Amino acid sequence: QLQLVESGGGLVQAGGSLRLSCAASGFTLDSAFVGWFRQAPGKEREGVSCVTATTDGATYYTDSVKGRFTISRDNAKNTVYLQMNNLKPEDTAVYYCAAEPGRYRLCMADIFNSWGQGTQVTVSS
């Protein structure tokens, strides 16, 4: 059974940085479509960034994070990261990691069956 554990969230001032980690067990992430999603209070879950399986490695970013966030893999650690720079108060949300074995390209929550528990990111102004 695929299990995902996020870490790295916290409280940071605007302009600061955080790196989220998504560690997997029960499956090798290098052959999975992996995504980061976030949900702020009162808002729907939003796709932040996704990366296709390692053989392809294509990435997707929602417009609001382009140039600030970077998704990456460390296959040796079976972990996917989300480096978040120049954070803004509107980035405040619970961030979730999701993974789905196979080749997908649409960064949509409906594709994913395995989710982590979420990690809180709070950006103060």
Side-chain angles (χ1 to χ4, degrees):
Q1 181 179 357
L2 175 61
Q3 292 187 326
L4 302 170
V5 178
E6 304 101 331
S7 61
L11 173 63
V12 65
Q13 290 187 331
S17 297
L18 287 172
R19 188 179 77 161
L20 305 184
S21 299
C22 173
S25 60
F27 196 82
T28 52
L29 284 181
D30 65 355
S31 59
F33 187 49
V34 182
W36 285 98
F37 294 78
R38 66 187 179 187
Q39 189 165 19
K43 296 187 176 181
E44 294 187 354
R45 189 167 295 191
E46 173 190 26
V48 176
S49 179
C50 289
V51 59
T52 60
T54 300
T55 52
D56 183 342
T59 56
Y60 161 87
Y61 299 94
T62 193
D63 286 345
S64 62
V65 308
K66 286 179 180 177
R68 300 189 297 123
F69 290 10
T70 302
I71 191 169
S72 63
R73 296 176 179 271
D74 184 336
N75 291 334
K77 295 183 178 180
N78 208 27
T79 299
V80 172
Y81 302 99
L82 185 68
Q83 177 68 43
M84 306 186 296
N85 298 327
N86 189 23
L87 282 160
K88 303 176 180 181
E90 52 264 42
D91 294 318
T92 295
V94 178
Y95 283 70
Y96 298 89
C97 172
E100 186 64 30
R103 296 190 174 190
Y104 299 90
R105 290 193 173 272
L106 295 179
C107 196
M108 298 174 61
D110 289 348
I111 287 175
F112 298 94
N113 290 301
S114 297
W115 292 82
Q117 81 287 354
T119 185
Q120 177 70 47
V121 171
T122 303
V123 184
S124 63
S125 58

